[in-house]
Amino acid sequence: MRVNFPILKISDDNWNEMDIDGIPFLFQKFYFSKDKELFKKLYLNKDFVDKNGAVFKITGLSDLSFWFYGLLSLLPMIPKSEFIFINTGKRIEIDELKLFLTNKIKNLPDYGFNQKWIFEIEKCKTIEEVLNIEV
């Protein structure tokens, strides 16, 4: 089974402590940093739910070995490696995900969009809709 993006980290991290690289949503399978410690802190052995409700764990990184990537990897915003996912065999239902996400949002500092975000989540009928909300 493949990961269907976007995905959301559902491991119990404190979202208030995340820096810009630690955004809990991933929209593709590539890791853009060379910082292995950051990877370990934010992604290694963390659970993510995909748009179909399947739960995956990131177990490592796979280097992009194409000569093309080797040349371009010196540039910013070029993928440095690819996440390695395993399917945990678990699933999350829409109501469980809504509750999880709503609780996380309530604990974030309110920059004026938290209530709107929660309102939009409550209207969603699928996990894919939840993961694609624009606030």
Side-chain angles (χ1 to χ4, degrees):
M1 178 181 228
R2 284 179 8 135
V3 176
N4 291 293
F5 292 89
I7 61 177
L8 170 69
K9 187 187 323 183
I10 57 171
S11 294
D12 196 21
D13 290 337
N14 181 355
W15 287 9
N16 290 325
E17 294 176 1
M18 291 191 161
D19 53 31
I20 193 66
D21 292 326
I23 295 171
F25 291 92
L26 292 176
F27 298 94
Q28 55 188 312
K29 61 184 178 178
F30 298 109
Y31 184 58
F32 289 84
S33 175
K34 289 184 178 185
D35 188 339
K36 301 297 184 189
E37 289 306 311
L38 182 65
F39 165 76
K40 288 177 186 174
K41 176 183 174 189
L42 299 177
Y43 301 110
L44 186 61
N45 296 317
K46 304 293 184 177
D47 290 338
F48 289 80
V49 63
D50 77 356
K51 69 180 187 176
N52 297 323
V55 177
F56 292 86
K57 182 180 295 280
I58 294 180
T59 60
L61 291 172
S62 173
D63 289 333
L64 299 172
S65 58
F66 301 108
W67 67 269
F68 181 71
Y69 283 112
L71 293 174
L72 294 177
S73 69
L74 301 172
L75 300 172
M77 299 313 296
I78 299 295
K80 310 303 186 245
S81 47
E82 186 176 331
F83 293 112
I84 299 171
F85 293 95
I86 62 162
N87 186 337
T88 66
K90 299 178 198 170
R91 295 195 54 75
I92 286 189
E93 298 302 323
I94 181 77
D95 291 335
E96 185 180 0
L97 183 63
K98 285 180 175 183
L99 180 62
F100 169 82
L101 197 50
T102 300
N103 287 337
K104 289 293 186 183
I105 294 167
K106 286 178 181 177
N107 288 317
L108 290 174
D110 192 352
Y111 296 108
F113 63 85
N114 294 23
Q115 287 302 83
K116 182 177 188 243
W117 193 1
I118 291 170
F119 177 73
E120 293 298 322
I121 289 169
E122 291 170 354
K123 294 190 316 186
C124 292
K125 301 207 181 337
T126 68
I127 290 174
E128 184 173 8
E129 288 177 7
V130 171
L131 298 181
N132 284 310
I133 289 176
E134 292 182 27
V135 220

